[in-house]
Structure formats: C-alpha cells, structure tokens
Amino acid sequence: MNIGILGYGTVGRNVHKLLGAVDGVSVKYVLEQRGKLTESFMTPDPELILSDPDIELIVDALPGIHPSYEYMKEALSHGKHVVSSNKAAICFGFTELHELAKENHVSLLYEASCGGGIPIIEEILRIGALDDISRVSGILNGTSNYMLWQMDKAGMSYEDALRDAQRLGYAEADPTADVSGFDVKNKIIILSSLAFDGYVEKDIPMIGIEAITKEMMDGLRAQQKAVKLMGIAVKEGDRYALAVTPVIVSSLSLEANVPLNFNIVSFEGNYVGEVKLYGQGAGGDPTADAVVRDILKVARGDAACYERHFTKTLAYDPSLLRGRCHVGDRVLEDAVLAEASAQAIREQVPFAFEFNA
Ligand code: HSE
C-alpha cells in the first residue's frame, strides 16, 4: 500500500521512521514546507499527494485545524483512507469527516489524536460494542501533566517546566492549547462521542492550569491531595455532560501518581466496570506508534471494527456534573461545575473541582 504523509514534524518524522520496519507499506510522498525539502520524496505541493491515484492512505500529521481539515476532506472525497494524529482538526470537523468517510467507503482512524501511544480509542470501541459506557475521564495532556509534576516534585517554575516540555517535543506548536485546556477539550469531545456513540456538544466548560501555583500545590499536599488537569464526560440515559478542569484528587489515587508526560484514561462500562489505561500521552515515538497501528489496521483489512456510526441522539445537560467546587478561596459543596467555573471566570479567580465523595 502506498501512503502519503502530510507534515514532517515530531509525529510525521517518527511515523516515517517506524514504517521503515513494516513490510507492505511504502511512503511515496511527504508534504514538507518549501524551505525544508531535503529528500527526494518530499514535496511542498499537497495536490500531488491528495490526487495521486497510487496513494491509498493519507497520514495527517500536521498541527492545527487548517489546512489539515481541508486536506482530510479532500483525501476522503478522493476515496483515500485517512489516519490522523491531529485532534484539533478531527474535533473541528468530527461530523463532516465521518460522514465523508462513510459516503466514500473509506476509513477515518485517529487513535494518535488522544493519549499519544495509549490504545484508548481501540479499547473504548471494543468495549462499547457490548457495554453501555457511562463515563470517560482522565489526564489527557502530557505537557500540562509534565508541568504540574515538575512544579510539584522538582520545585520548577511554571515557565521552566513549559520550556522543558517544549524541548522534549510534548507541547503543541502553540503551547497555549496545552495549558489553557483546549487540547484536552478536543480529546474529551472525541473520546466521549466514541464512548457514548453520539455527537456531543463542543461548547463546554474549560479551565486550564494557568492559575495553579506552587503554594496551592503545597497546601493540597498537606491535606494528602494533588491537582491534575482532566477531561471529564458523564452520561445518564440519553443525557450527558463534559468539562475540562483542574481536579483535586487524593494523593493515593492513580491519577495523583501519573508522572511527567504520562496520561491516564478511565472509562466505565455497565458490564466491564471501571477500566483504566495508562501510558505516554505525548512525544514522537509513542504517538507515531499509534499512527502506525492505525495504518496497519487499514493495510490488514481490520479497520471496519474500529469505526463508529454515532447512532444515538444525546441531550447535553451540564447539571449532571456536580461536586465540590473551589472558586477562589470559597468552597461550594455539591455545586454544578458549569455554573461554578463560569463564576470563577467572571471573578477572575482560580477554579478546581472535586468529585462528590
Ligand atoms: N501537546 C499534546 C500533549 C501532544 O502534551 O499531550 C499529544 O496530544
């Protein structure tokens, strides 16, 4: 199978490297910027790749929504399978891209878009084929987890921790998406749509880690607690709620002990109970591994088991997410997260959420 790779940054370059050890998949072209064309297989012309009838699958390893979204649409319309690591573009065009893939009888796979190398989507789809999944939550951003970990355990400043995460290849091209919660928002929207088998609301509460201080972490440690940036999605019947927020957890929890760039995702099925998956959520090799696993699903004819048809009509009900809300210095017991976090934004004070005991 001939493939084309769009983008040669941390992900694209590592996908190319890993494919060197895979039989039956050959990289015909890589899309690269005009000033960086160092190899004969590189081209600055997306049309050469997207309209080449020899290319059966496109890997989208570009950052940001545009032009990734337009390239994926064009590839699917030309009957090419698409494998993407780009959560921003997948989330942006979620409905349209899935409909195009269905119309053109091709696969749209994006395991690498959520949780780096962790096979989250694979497991959600496998378990969701039998179980009713009522909750998905977790630490879904390696950069912010790395920063919180280094601030808490190594006494690093916010700025030094961010610089380190960028140097290690964890952060987005614009790291605002990592620290503001926007990256987690894309991921929890993708994961909950798959878990709940329906398209979900995109305008959801979102608070990042910008207001978290060393002093706050020290205070929590004294109470055997820690703070983690998490995406949360819950469903009851056909109603659901989602949010991205700093969450205060017990220091004995698995979440509190997730180090560095690692991610953890939990979900709950009615038969299987709670499942937790843990691994590296950012970085070139883990993310490329997830991309190549998706390419192999297509190459081996297994991809259909990993597609969702979003058959359920769901109703967004933010009141489903309630708990202890920390709004500045005040603690609101059993409050609705959406309302309390909006209040914190209005008052420009820090916000954190704790699940009801
Ligand atoms: N910037 C992202 C993160 C990369 O830090 O998790 C993986 O999606």
Side-chain angles (χ1 to χ4, degrees):
M1 185 173 71
N2 283 315
I3 73 166
I5 302 178
L6 309 181
Y8 213 57
T10 310
V11 179
R13 187 183 304 272
N14 281 289
V15 167
H16 194 210
K17 179 185 81 179
L18 265 58
L19 283 173
V22 171
D23 288 335
V25 178
S26 123
V27 178
K28 184 164 177 188
Y29 290 120
V30 167
L31 181 71
E32 180 54 295
Q33 290 162 16
R34 201 167 282 283
K36 296 185 179 171
L37 304 172
T38 52
E39 308 287 341
S40 57
F41 53 77
M42 290 178 173
T43 169
D45 179 8
E47 289 313 313
L48 190 67
I49 308 178
L50 296 170
S51 58
D52 183 333
D54 284 351
I55 293 185
E56 288 177 59
L57 182 149
I58 297 289
V59 172
D60 164 35
L62 292 166
I65 297 172
H66 307 290
S68 210
Y69 167 65
E70 288 74 17
Y71 291 164
M72 285 197 276
K73 263 177 44 176
E74 193 175 338
L76 294 167
S77 308
H78 284 153
K80 300 186 192 310
H81 306 285
V82 169
V83 170
S84 177
S85 60
N86 185 339
K87 54 261 154 163
I90 289 286
C91 182
F92 174 82
F94 203 72
T95 310
E96 298 77 359
L97 293 171
H98 279 96
E99 280 170 6
L100 261 182
K102 201 166 157 191
E103 268 166 37
N104 290 282
H105 310 287
V106 286
S107 295
L108 169 66
L109 300 178
Y110 39 88
E111 179 67 76
S113 67
C114 299
I118 313 174
I120 307 177
I121 293 181
E122 214 166 288
E123 291 312 320
I124 284 181
L125 293 181
R126 268 212 278 239
I127 290 176
L130 177 63
D131 284 41
D132 180 31
I133 299 180
S134 56
R135 182 178 58 81
V136 189
S137 63
I139 297 170
L140 291 165
N141 182 268
T143 301
S144 57
N145 199 63
Y146 180 88
M147 291 171 63
L148 294 178
W149 183 265
Q150 294 292 39
M151 286 164 68
D152 194 21
K153 308 287 180 201
M156 237 184 225
S157 70
Y158 183 96
E159 292 72 25
D160 284 350
L162 175 56
R163 251 192 304 277
D164 241 23
Q166 286 176 296
R167 181 180 55 80
L168 291 163
Y170 304 153
E172 298 302 297
D174 175 3
T176 318
D178 296 295
V179 297
S180 68
F182 194 73
D183 182 67
V184 178
K185 179 174 160 181
N186 287 330
K187 291 169 179 170
I188 197 70
I189 288 170
I190 294 172
L191 292 179
S192 55
S193 299
L194 295 166
F196 302 160
D197 192 21
Y199 295 118
V200 303
E201 173 63 45
K202 293 184 186 169
D203 184 10
I204 60 169
M206 178 184 89
I207 306 269
I209 64 164
E210 295 104 322
I212 295 176
T213 58
K214 181 94 184 74
E215 291 67 40
M216 179 178 172
M217 289 175 160
D218 292 343
L220 288 170
R221 197 177 318 102
Q223 304 169 54
Q224 283 81 49
K225 290 179 178 177
V227 63
K228 293 286 184 174
L229 181 65
M230 292 177 67
I232 310 170
V234 292
K235 179 170 85 72
E236 279 180 34
D238 63 358
R239 294 177 308 136
Y240 70 94
L242 323 180
V244 177
T245 177
V247 178
I248 296 175
V249 290
S250 156
S251 55
L252 297 176
S253 64
L254 290 176
E255 282 71 14
N257 292 287
V258 169
L260 304 170
N261 66 327
F262 282 74
N263 285 188
I264 192 165
V265 186
S266 312
F267 56 94
E268 180 122 12
N270 55 329
Y271 300 123
V272 74
E274 183 174 60
V275 174
K276 284 190 194 270
L277 299 169
Y278 166 85
Q280 286 192 78
D285 277 344
T287 310
D289 195 82
V291 170
V292 173
R293 295 196 312 263
D294 274 350
I295 297 172
L296 292 180
K297 284 173 197 141
V298 177
R300 292 173 183 164
D302 297 337
C305 330
Y306 299 99
E307 282 154 21
R308 257 293 197 221
H309 299 295
F310 308 103
T311 54
K312 304 218 169 64
T313 305
L314 302 169
Y316 179 55
D317 179 358
S319 72
L320 290 182
L321 260 179
R322 1 178 18 110
R324 178 183 284 173
C325 293
H326 299 250
V327 179
D329 294 336
R330 277 159 300 150
V331 177
L332 311 179
E333 297 293 345
D334 197 30
V336 173
L337 185 155
E339 290 165 9
S341 60
Q343 185 181 339
I345 292 172
R346 272 195 311 276
E347 295 175 10
Q348 299 186 319
V349 292
F351 178 81
F353 180 74
E354 258 184 289
F355 283 101
N356 280 328

CSV table of all heavy atoms in Angstrom, one decimal, residues 293-326:
chain,number,residue,atom,x,y,z
A,293,ARG,N,-0.1,1.8,14.1
A,293,ARG,CA,-1.1,0.8,14.4
A,293,ARG,C,-2.4,1.0,13.6
A,293,ARG,O,-3.0,0.0,13.1
A,293,ARG,CB,-1.4,0.7,15.9
A,293,ARG,CG,-0.2,0.3,16.7
A,293,ARG,CD,-0.5,-0.1,18.1
A,293,ARG,NE,-1.4,0.8,18.8
A,293,ARG,CZ,-1.1,1.8,19.7
A,293,ARG,NH1,0.2,2.0,19.9
A,293,ARG,NH2,-2.0,2.5,20.2
A,294,ASP,N,-2.8,2.3,13.4
A,294,ASP,CA,-4.0,2.6,12.6
A,294,ASP,C,-3.7,2.2,11.1
A,294,ASP,O,-4.6,1.7,10.4
A,294,ASP,CB,-4.4,4.0,12.7
A,294,ASP,CG,-5.3,4.3,13.9
A,294,ASP,OD1,-5.7,3.3,14.6
A,294,ASP,OD2,-5.5,5.5,14.2
A,295,ILE,N,-2.5,2.6,10.6
A,295,ILE,CA,-2.2,2.3,9.2
A,295,ILE,C,-2.3,0.7,9.0
A,295,ILE,O,-2.8,0.3,8.0
A,295,ILE,CB,-0.8,2.8,8.9
A,295,ILE,CG1,-0.7,4.3,9.0
A,295,ILE,CG2,-0.4,2.3,7.5
A,295,ILE,CD1,0.7,4.9,8.8
A,296,LEU,N,-1.8,0.0,10.0
A,296,LEU,CA,-1.8,-1.5,9.8
A,296,LEU,C,-3.2,-2.0,9.9
A,296,LEU,O,-3.5,-3.0,9.2
A,296,LEU,CB,-0.9,-2.1,10.9
A,296,LEU,CG,0.6,-1.8,10.8
A,296,LEU,CD1,1.4,-2.5,11.9
A,296,LEU,CD2,1.1,-2.3,9.4
A,297,LYS,N,-4.1,-1.4,10.6
A,297,LYS,CA,-5.5,-1.8,10.6
A,297,LYS,C,-6.1,-1.8,9.2
A,297,LYS,O,-6.8,-2.7,8.8
A,297,LYS,CB,-6.3,-1.0,11.6
A,297,LYS,CG,-6.1,-1.3,13.0
A,297,LYS,CD,-6.9,-0.2,13.9
A,297,LYS,CE,-6.4,-0.3,15.3
A,297,LYS,NZ,-6.3,1.0,16.0
A,298,VAL,N,-5.7,-0.6,8.5
A,298,VAL,CA,-6.3,-0.5,7.2
A,298,VAL,C,-5.6,-1.5,6.2
A,298,VAL,O,-6.2,-2.2,5.5
A,298,VAL,CB,-6.0,1.0,6.6
A,298,VAL,CG1,-6.5,1.1,5.2
A,298,VAL,CG2,-6.8,2.0,7.5
A,299,ALA,N,-4.2,-1.6,6.3
A,299,ALA,CA,-3.5,-2.4,5.4
A,299,ALA,C,-3.9,-3.9,5.6
A,299,ALA,O,-3.9,-4.7,4.6
A,299,ALA,CB,-2.0,-2.3,5.7
A,300,ARG,N,-4.3,-4.3,6.8
A,300,ARG,CA,-4.6,-5.7,7.1
A,300,ARG,C,-6.2,-5.9,6.9
A,300,ARG,O,-6.6,-7.0,7.2
A,300,ARG,CB,-4.2,-6.1,8.4
A,300,ARG,CG,-2.6,-6.2,8.5
A,300,ARG,CD,-2.1,-6.4,9.9
A,300,ARG,NE,-0.7,-6.4,9.8
A,300,ARG,CZ,0.1,-6.2,10.9
A,300,ARG,NH1,-0.4,-6.1,12.1
A,300,ARG,NH2,1.4,-6.3,10.8
A,301,GLY,N,-6.9,-4.9,6.6
A,301,GLY,CA,-8.4,-5.1,6.4
A,301,GLY,C,-9.2,-5.2,7.7
A,301,GLY,O,-10.3,-5.7,7.7
A,302,ASP,N,-8.6,-4.7,8.8
A,302,ASP,CA,-9.3,-4.8,10.1
A,302,ASP,C,-10.0,-3.5,10.5
A,302,ASP,O,-10.6,-3.4,11.6
A,302,ASP,CB,-8.3,-5.0,11.3
A,302,ASP,CG,-7.6,-6.3,11.2
A,302,ASP,OD1,-8.2,-7.2,10.5
A,302,ASP,OD2,-6.5,-6.4,11.8
A,303,ALA,N,-9.9,-2.4,9.7
A,303,ALA,CA,-10.3,-1.1,10.1
A,303,ALA,C,-11.8,-1.0,10.4
A,303,ALA,O,-12.1,-0.2,11.3
A,303,ALA,CB,-9.9,-0.1,9.0
A,304,ALA,N,-12.6,-1.7,9.7
A,304,ALA,CA,-14.1,-1.6,9.9
A,304,ALA,C,-14.5,-1.8,11.4
A,304,ALA,O,-15.4,-1.1,11.9
A,304,ALA,CB,-14.9,-2.5,9.0
A,305,CYS,N,-13.8,-2.6,12.1
A,305,CYS,CA,-14.1,-2.8,13.6
A,305,CYS,C,-13.9,-1.6,14.4
A,305,CYS,O,-14.3,-1.5,15.5
A,305,CYS,CB,-13.3,-4.0,14.2
A,305,CYS,SG,-12.8,-5.2,13.2
A,306,TYR,N,-13.1,-0.7,13.9
A,306,TYR,CA,-12.7,0.5,14.6
A,306,TYR,C,-13.4,1.7,14.1
A,306,TYR,O,-12.9,2.8,14.2
A,306,TYR,CB,-11.2,0.7,14.6
A,306,TYR,CG,-10.5,-0.6,15.3
A,306,TYR,CD1,-10.0,-1.6,14.5
A,306,TYR,CD2,-10.5,-0.7,16.6
A,306,TYR,CE1,-9.4,-2.7,15.0
A,306,TYR,CE2,-9.9,-1.8,17.2
A,306,TYR,CZ,-9.4,-2.8,16.4
A,306,TYR,OH,-8.9,-3.9,17.0
A,307,GLU,N,-14.6,1.6,13.6
A,307,GLU,CA,-15.3,2.7,13.1
A,307,GLU,C,-16.6,2.8,13.9
A,307,GLU,O,-17.2,1.8,14.4
A,307,GLU,CB,-15.6,2.6,11.6
A,307,GLU,CG,-14.4,3.0,10.8
A,307,GLU,CD,-14.4,2.3,9.4
A,307,GLU,OE1,-15.4,1.9,8.9
A,307,GLU,OE2,-13.3,2.2,8.9
A,308,ARG,N,-17.1,4.0,14.1
A,308,ARG,CA,-18.3,4.3,14.9
A,308,ARG,C,-19.4,5.0,14.0
A,308,ARG,O,-19.0,5.8,13.1
A,308,ARG,CB,-18.0,5.2,16.0
A,308,ARG,CG,-17.9,4.6,17.4
A,308,ARG,CD,-19.2,4.1,17.9
A,308,ARG,NE,-19.1,3.9,19.3
A,308,ARG,CZ,-19.6,2.8,19.9
A,308,ARG,NH1,-20.1,1.8,19.2
A,308,ARG,NH2,-19.5,2.7,21.2
A,309,HIS,N,-20.6,4.7,14.2
A,309,HIS,CA,-21.6,5.4,13.3
A,309,HIS,C,-22.5,6.4,14.1
A,309,HIS,O,-23.4,7.0,13.5
A,309,HIS,CB,-22.5,4.3,12.6
A,309,HIS,CG,-21.6,3.4,11.7
A,309,HIS,ND1,-20.9,3.9,10.7
A,309,HIS,CD2,-21.2,2.2,11.9
A,309,HIS,CE1,-20.2,3.0,10.1
A,309,HIS,NE2,-20.3,1.9,10.8
A,310,PHE,N,-22.2,6.6,15.3
A,310,PHE,CA,-22.8,7.7,16.1
A,310,PHE,C,-24.4,7.6,16.0
A,310,PHE,O,-25.0,8.5,15.4
A,310,PHE,CB,-22.3,9.1,15.7
A,310,PHE,CG,-20.8,9.1,15.7
A,310,PHE,CD1,-20.0,9.0,14.6
A,310,PHE,CD2,-20.1,9.1,17.0
A,310,PHE,CE1,-18.6,8.9,14.6
A,310,PHE,CE2,-18.7,9.1,17.0
A,310,PHE,CZ,-18.0,9.0,15.8
A,311,THR,N,-24.9,6.5,16.5
A,311,THR,CA,-26.3,6.2,16.2
A,311,THR,C,-27.2,6.9,17.2
A,311,THR,O,-28.5,6.9,17.0
A,311,THR,CB,-26.5,4.7,16.3
A,311,THR,OG1,-26.0,4.2,17.6
A,311,THR,CG2,-25.8,3.9,15.2
A,312,LYS,N,-26.7,7.4,18.4
A,312,LYS,CA,-27.6,7.9,19.4
A,312,LYS,C,-27.8,9.4,19.4
A,312,LYS,O,-26.8,10.1,19.0
A,312,LYS,CB,-27.0,7.5,20.8
A,312,LYS,CG,-26.7,6.0,21.0
A,312,LYS,CD,-27.1,5.5,22.3
A,312,LYS,CE,-27.0,4.0,22.4
A,312,LYS,NZ,-25.7,3.4,22.1
A,313,THR,N,-29.0,9.8,19.7
A,313,THR,CA,-29.2,11.3,19.8
A,313,THR,C,-29.2,11.6,21.3
A,313,THR,O,-29.9,11.0,22.1
A,313,THR,CB,-30.6,11.6,19.3
A,313,THR,OG1,-30.7,11.1,17.9
A,313,THR,CG2,-30.9,13.1,19.3
A,314,LEU,N,-28.2,12.4,21.7
A,314,LEU,CA,-27.9,12.7,23.1
A,314,LEU,C,-28.3,14.1,23.4
A,314,LEU,O,-28.2,15.0,22.6
A,314,LEU,CB,-26.4,12.4,23.4
A,314,LEU,CG,-25.9,11.0,23.1
A,314,LEU,CD1,-24.4,11.0,23.1
A,314,LEU,CD2,-26.5,10.0,24.0
A,315,ALA,N,-28.7,14.3,24.7
A,315,ALA,CA,-29.0,15.7,25.1
A,315,ALA,C,-28.0,16.2,26.1
A,315,ALA,O,-27.7,15.5,27.1
A,315,ALA,CB,-30.4,15.7,25.8
A,316,TYR,N,-27.4,17.4,25.8
A,316,TYR,CA,-26.4,18.0,26.7
A,316,TYR,C,-27.1,18.5,27.9
A,316,TYR,O,-28.0,19.4,27.8
A,316,TYR,CB,-25.7,19.1,25.9
A,316,TYR,CG,-24.6,19.8,26.7
A,316,TYR,CD1,-23.6,19.1,27.3
A,316,TYR,CD2,-24.6,21.2,26.8
A,316,TYR,CE1,-22.6,19.7,28.0
A,316,TYR,CE2,-23.6,21.8,27.5
A,316,TYR,CZ,-22.6,21.1,28.1
A,316,TYR,OH,-21.6,21.8,28.8
A,317,ASP,N,-26.6,18.1,29.1
A,317,ASP,CA,-27.2,18.6,30.4
A,317,ASP,C,-26.1,18.8,31.4
A,317,ASP,O,-25.7,17.9,32.1
A,317,ASP,CB,-28.2,17.5,30.9
A,317,ASP,CG,-28.8,17.9,32.2
A,317,ASP,OD1,-28.5,19.0,32.7
A,317,ASP,OD2,-29.7,17.2,32.7
A,318,PRO,N,-25.5,20.1,31.4
A,318,PRO,CA,-24.4,20.3,32.2
A,318,PRO,C,-24.6,20.1,33.7
A,318,PRO,O,-23.7,19.9,34.5
A,318,PRO,CB,-24.1,21.8,32.0
A,318,PRO,CG,-25.0,22.3,31.0
A,318,PRO,CD,-26.0,21.2,30.6
A,319,SER,N,-25.9,20.0,34.2
A,319,SER,CA,-26.2,19.8,35.6
A,319,SER,C,-25.8,18.4,36.1
A,319,SER,O,-25.8,18.2,37.3
A,319,SER,CB,-27.7,20.1,35.9
A,319,SER,OG,-28.5,19.1,35.4
A,320,LEU,N,-25.5,17.5,35.1
A,320,LEU,CA,-25.1,16.2,35.5
A,320,LEU,C,-23.7,16.2,36.2
A,320,LEU,O,-23.4,15.3,36.9
A,320,LEU,CB,-25.0,15.3,34.3
A,320,LEU,CG,-26.2,14.8,33.6
A,320,LEU,CD1,-25.9,13.9,32.5
A,320,LEU,CD2,-27.2,14.2,34.6
A,321,LEU,N,-22.9,17.2,36.0
A,321,LEU,CA,-21.5,17.3,36.6
A,321,LEU,C,-21.6,18.2,37.8
A,321,LEU,O,-21.5,19.4,37.7
A,321,LEU,CB,-20.5,17.8,35.5
A,321,LEU,CG,-19.7,16.8,34.8
A,321,LEU,CD1,-18.8,17.5,33.8
A,321,LEU,CD2,-18.9,15.9,35.8
A,322,ARG,N,-21.7,17.6,39.0
A,322,ARG,CA,-21.7,18.4,40.2
A,322,ARG,C,-20.7,17.8,41.2
A,322,ARG,O,-20.4,16.6,41.1
A,322,ARG,CB,-23.1,18.4,40.9
A,322,ARG,CG,-24.2,17.7,40.3
A,322,ARG,CD,-25.5,17.7,41.0
A,322,ARG,NE,-25.7,18.8,42.0
A,322,ARG,CZ,-26.5,19.8,41.9
A,322,ARG,NH1,-27.2,19.9,40.8
A,322,ARG,NH2,-26.6,20.7,42.8
A,323,GLY,N,-20.3,18.7,42.1
A,323,GLY,CA,-19.3,18.2,43.1
A,323,GLY,C,-18.9,19.4,43.9
A,323,GLY,O,-19.5,20.5,43.9
A,324,ARG,N,-17.8,19.2,44.6
A,324,ARG,CA,-17.2,20.3,45.4
A,324,ARG,C,-16.4,21.2,44.5
A,324,ARG,O,-15.4,20.8,43.9
A,324,ARG,CB,-16.3,19.7,46.5
A,324,ARG,CG,-15.7,20.7,47.4
A,324,ARG,CD,-14.8,20.1,48.4
A,324,ARG,NE,-15.5,19.5,49.5
A,324,ARG,CZ,-15.0,18.8,50.4
A,324,ARG,NH1,-13.7,18.5,50.4
A,324,ARG,NH2,-15.7,18.2,51.4
A,325,CYS,N,-16.9,22.5,44.4
A,325,CYS,CA,-16.2,23.4,43.5
A,325,CYS,C,-15.4,24.5,44.3
A,325,CYS,O,-16.0,25.1,45.2
A,325,CYS,CB,-17.2,24.1,42.6
A,325,CYS,SG,-18.0,22.9,41.5
A,326,HIS,N,-14.2,24.6,44.0
A,326,HIS,CA,-13.3,25.6,44.7
A,326,HIS,C,-13.3,26.9,43.8
A,326,HIS,O,-12.7,26.8,42.7
A,326,HIS,CB,-11.9,25.1,44.9
A,326,HIS,CG,-11.9,23.8,45.7
A,326,HIS,ND1,-11.3,23.8,47.0
A,326,HIS,CD2,-12.3,22.6,45.5
A,326,HIS,CE1,-11.5,22.6,47.5
A,326,HIS,NE2,-12.0,21.8,46.6
